[in-house]
Amino acid sequence: MATLELQNLTKRFADGSDEIVAVDDVSLEVGDGEFLVLVGPSGCGKSTTLRMIAGLESVTSGTILLDEEPIGDRPPQRRDIAMVFQNYALYPHMTVRGNMRFGLEESTNVADDEIEQTVTETARMLEIDALLDRHPRDLSGGQQQRVALGRAIVRDPQAFLMDEPLSNLDARLRAEMRTELKRLQGDLDVTTIYVTHDQTEAMTMGDRIAILNDGRLQQVATPLECYHRPANLFVAGFIGEPSMNFFDVTRTDGQLVATGFEYPLSPSTLEAVGDRTDLVLGIRPEDIEVVEPSRAANYDGESHAFDANVDVVEPMGDENNVYFTLEDGSFTATVHGFHSVDAGTRVTVRFPESAIHLFDAETGEAVHNRSLEDVADETRTQPLD
Amino acid sequence: MTSKDAPRADTGGNGGTRDVGGESGAGDDQNREQSMEGFSRRIGRIGRRRLALYVTLVLLLALYLSPLWSGFTTSLKTAVTFATTSPLTPPPPDGFTVEPWYEAWGRMRFAMINSVFFVIPATVLSAFLGSLAAYGLTKIDWRGQIGILLLFLAGVFIPYQSVLVPLRQFWSAVDLASLLAFAPALAARADLLELAITHTAYGIPICTILFRGYYLTIDDEIIEAAKIDGASTIRIYRRIVLPLSKPMFAVTLIYQFTNIWNDLLFALVLVTTSRNFVATQALNELQGAMVGQYNLQMAGAFIVAMPTLIIYVVFGRQFARGLGGESG
């Protein structure tokens, strides 16, 4: 068990005469026993980062420290790291036992009966002890997944690397394994980097999540921090489902002007905005208040409320996704499942000022995030090394 | 052609029969009678089709087997009977003899043993080295792979005839017999050693290309998983790649064994002493200078062909799997 640290990690690929920067100056630290999820859209460099840590990909520049020792020059055989692959990569000609023994046989001098004992114990923990003499081709996807995990666990490495390990499972099994994997990692207390493109996995599993886009690190923070205090437009749009609504706005005097509505700002928010004029207003679907027609009159003078057309309503049971159209745009709100809204009607909506985010339209950087009074306690309970 | 078309017609016939079954299942007596009539009519038609198919198949079989058959009958006839009967007729009781088999075996036994001694090492070595080279060309990253691969590819297409002279010159320059002078028993067999080395070298390119195609289908993640598990490049070959290569080894072993065992050209150029003659040379010797002893030659040919047949039977199953591209 150890800390894992990346310092200015960069990977460039030659593509003909061009150079592609797959990973661009990524620095991050994973605490001892921490579960860090590396998340981003496909092609963002997250798998390349993981493969560099594993030693499967050469490092163009930068340093990788495992337990404070640089390991960038070591071959994968001598890094004391275990990896779980997306397609499991089990050895097809070996039994489950053979697959799990392999790493211990190759990387240690542990006596045969001791290996056998470790394998049996791990198999029991993963509930695959009945499968030990079967071959991978005789196992279901979920069972193969467990064997792949077992193969990593028996080696008792300094760190686990997981490359989208759940993406080949069906939705139900994936949800189950998500919980189990998280619990397992907690029990074993092994430093883990988990790569995924699925923001649900990132939110639910990670102690912290690191969001990558285009090879660049966007934000490293607890899931709730990323959700409520996104560092920039990309993080705000990537985390959350349905995703955050964005409106291009210009600031004139004390208010924001968008096509379709005007939005006055309080002095404290204006202070954060400074002298920027081009901004992006963001608000999460669940923060939008959809006003019942009977109460609409109360909002007449309300400056943060305006009328919009209901385009489509998607009932989800516990909540409804309501899609609105504005003069030349659209946005989404989620309301309680019993709150009925009819498609085709015109209703009043309100964006509470405490829930809005403002981003610099040019750089995408967040200039103002929502007020965190109601969620601050939750975020503070997350372990931060 | 006929044999391909015929089964299709047959399937159609079966489909028809099933239809009839459905009708009779409806129950009605009259219907059943009618359908029974139709049934036998259809059977008659199928019967004629089947008959035509079988006749064609038997004729084709006879055509394919006739050279083997006439060779076999000839090997069991006395010289006089051979001269007076058609090659296709079985030997008559008074003209039957197994003497040619005894004689051929007696005259070729030493050469058969010589062949076994150089063919097996050459076959195994060329397959093994080909597999190693293919591993290096597919699962290990290094500069200049493409150039080396092209050389291997070119090696596949070099005809035997074109290398005969340089080959002879090479083995004259590298005097294996005197190099092995410290071990007289080996030195006496230098010709066979030269043959084994030549065939190994000559077989490596095709084996490499065959194994390469197979290794490209092995998931790279398996190799990477083994690396992370701590296995070295050589250990990965021994514990992962080699065991997964079984079907392709069957293919290359059969292919190389047949090729090397049946080769006469290299042996003629490289084997100079008659005690080192290989099976194909010994068979050639059975020809006789004055009188063609056909029964003897035929028996000899069957004896020489026997080992390749045995290899096919032993590895046939794996061979089919290797060609089918099935792994594990």
Side-chain angles (χ1 to χ4, degrees), chain A residues 18-41:
Chain A
D18 290 344
E19 241 189 14
I20 294 172
V21 183
V23 178
D24 193 356
D25 198 27
V26 167
S27 297
L28 94 118
E29 203 173 321
V30 192
D32 190 359
E34 189 183 0
F35 194 121
L36 181 103
V37 177
L38 202 53
V39 67

Side-chain angles (χ1 to χ4, degrees), chain A residues 84-150:
Chain A
V84 178
F85 291 84
Q86 183 174 358
N87 299 318
Y88 317 137
L90 299 177
Y91 312 125
H93 58 296
M94 294 183 192
T95 58
V96 170
R97 177 178 277 114
N99 268 279
M100 289 174 69
R101 289 179 59 105
F102 188 82
L104 286 175
E105 287 170 354
E106 292 298 325
S107 62
T108 65
N109 294 320
V110 177
D112 199 62
D113 50 343
E114 209 172 313
I115 292 181
E116 196 56 43
Q117 197 188 335
T118 316
V119 167
T120 315
E121 275 168 18
T122 311
R124 203 170 295 142
M125 176 171 73
L126 288 163
E127 292 164 27
I128 49 171
D129 42 335
L131 309 174
L132 278 173
D133 293 315
R134 295 225 211 140
H135 280 86
R137 60 172 172 272
D138 301 324
L139 304 180
S140 70
Q143 289 168 334
Q144 290 187 28
Q145 168 66 63
R146 280 165 187 275
V147 177
L149 275 175

